[in-house]
C-alpha cells in the first residue's frame, strides 16, 4: 500500500518534513509495512536526508522524496499529476504543513503565504488526491484516509463579524488591510480557524 505523508512546512522555522512530526509519522508508517512511502518536501535536500535516516533507522528501503511547495499552486498540481501517473495505491495521506509568519509575504499566486500554505494548498492537495484514495478503496476494499494535522490554536483566534459578512472571507483576509505587521502575529491561529 502506498502511504503518503507530506511533512511540516514551517518555513524558516524549527521543523520540516525531515524532522519532528513529519519525520516521526513517516517512521510510524514504515512499521505498518507499506509497499511504498512518499515524503513530499519543499526542500528536496532535507527530504533526501530524511529518506537516508529512515532507511538507516528502520532498514526500510522503499521510501522516496517528491518535491512539493505548498506556496505554489502549480507545485501542488504537479505533485498531484505525478501521483496520478506514478503513485499507485494510496492508503493514507497525512497533511501536516504550516507556516507561522511574522511579516506578510506573498506567494507567486498572490496569496498571503500562511493562507495559501496552511489552508488553500493543503485543501487543494487533499481534494486532488481523493480520486486515488477512492480507487484504492474500490480496488482493494480498503478504508483509505486523509489526516489533516492541526492545532487547538484556533481557539485563540477571533474573527471579526465584519469579515464573515464580506463576499469572500479568503479575499478579505488576503487584503493588505489584514496583512499588517500588528495583525501578522495572530495569523497562524487565524489560519486554523477560517
Amino acid at each position: 500500500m502506498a502511504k503518503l505523508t507530506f511533512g511540516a512546512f514551517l518555513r524558516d522555522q524549527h521543523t520540516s518534513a525531515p524532522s519532528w512530526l513529519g519525520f516521526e509519522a513517516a517512521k510510524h508508517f514504515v512499521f505498518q509495512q507499506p509497499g511504498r512511502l512518499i515524503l513530499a518536501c519543499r526542500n528536496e535536500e532535507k527530504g533526501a536526508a530524511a529518506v537516508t535516516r529512515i532507511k538507516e533507522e528502520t532498514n526500510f528501503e522503499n521510501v522516496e522524496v517528491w518535491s512539493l511547495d505548498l506556496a505554489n499552486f502549480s507545485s501542488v498540481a504537479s505533485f498531484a499529476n505525478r501521483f496520478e501517473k506514478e503513485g499507485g495505491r494510496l492508503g493514507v495521506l497525512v497533511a501536516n504543513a504550516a507556516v507561522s509568519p511574522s511579516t506578510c509575504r506573498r506567494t507567486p499566486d498572490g496569496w498571503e503565504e500562511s493562507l495559501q500554505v496552511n489552508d488553500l494548498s493543503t485543501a487543494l492537495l487533499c481534494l486532488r488526491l481523493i480520486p486515488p484514495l477512492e480507487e484504492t478503496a474500490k480496488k482493494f476494499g480498503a478504508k483509505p484516509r486523509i489526516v489533516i494535522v492541526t492545532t487547538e490554536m484556533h481557539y485563540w483566534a477571533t474573527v471579526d463579524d465584519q469579515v464573515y459578512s464580506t463576499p469572500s472571507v479568503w479575499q478579505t483576509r488576503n487584503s493588505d488591510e489584514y496583512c499588517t505587521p500588528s495583525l501578522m502575529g495572530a495569523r497562524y491561529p487565524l489560519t486554523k480557524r477560517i
Side-chain angles (χ1 to χ4, degrees):
M1 176 187 307
K3 298 200 180 196
L4 172 70
T5 178
F6 72 92
F9 288 87
L10 291 177
R11 296 160 183 245
D12 308 318
Q13 300 287 325
H14 56 75
T15 188
S16 63
S19 61
W20 294 70
L21 184 61
F23 181 76
E24 293 303 321
K27 279 183 24 180
H28 173 74
F29 287 140
V30 166
F31 295 110
Q32 294 180 0
Q33 301 177 337
R36 181 181 195 187
L37 178 65
I38 300 169
L39 303 178
C41 301
R42 178 179 59 93
N43 184 318
E44 289 187 67
E45 186 177 314
K46 288 181 179 180
V51 167
T52 300
R53 275 186 61 199
I54 288 171
K55 288 179 179 181
E56 289 172 355
E57 293 178 19
T58 67
N59 293 319
F60 181 75
E61 291 295 321
N62 203 5
V63 58
E64 56 195 88
V65 63
W66 288 12
S67 177
L68 175 62
D69 184 355
L70 294 176
N72 192 316
F73 289 137
S74 65
S75 177
V76 175
S78 294
F79 184 92
N81 291 341
R82 180 179 178 188
F83 194 87
E84 288 173 3
K85 291 177 186 169
E86 303 174 30
R89 183 175 175 178
L90 178 56
V92 178
L93 165 62
V94 176
N96 174 44
V99 293
S100 182
S102 57
T103 61
C104 183
R105 291 189 302 244
R106 300 280 175 189
T107 69
D109 301 301
W111 286 93
E112 187 278 317
E113 184 180 38
S114 67
L115 286 176
Q116 183 164 342
V117 172
N118 300 4
D119 296 311
L120 301 173
S121 287
T122 297
L124 176 61
L125 184 63
C126 291
L127 290 169
R128 286 288 313 269
L129 292 177
I130 286 175
L133 288 161
E134 289 179 330
E135 179 66 23
T136 297
K138 289 177 188 172
K139 190 172 180 181
F140 299 99
K143 294 181 181 177
R145 63 191 49 88
I146 296 173
V147 178
I148 300 175
V149 179
T150 190
T151 173
E152 290 185 356
M153 288 184 72
H154 68 279
Y155 289 117
W156 301 359
T158 303
V159 180
D160 299 331
D161 288 337
Q162 67 189 27
V163 172
Y164 285 125
S165 66
T166 64
S168 170
V169 172
W170 298 105
Q171 290 294 346
T172 301
R173 282 292 176 200
N174 192 52
S175 71
D176 290 338
E177 177 185 356
Y178 285 93
C179 292
T180 63
S182 63
L183 295 175
M184 291 310 293
R187 178 63 82 168
Y188 178 77
L190 187 64
T191 64
K192 299 303 177 180
R193 179 144 190 144
I194 60 170

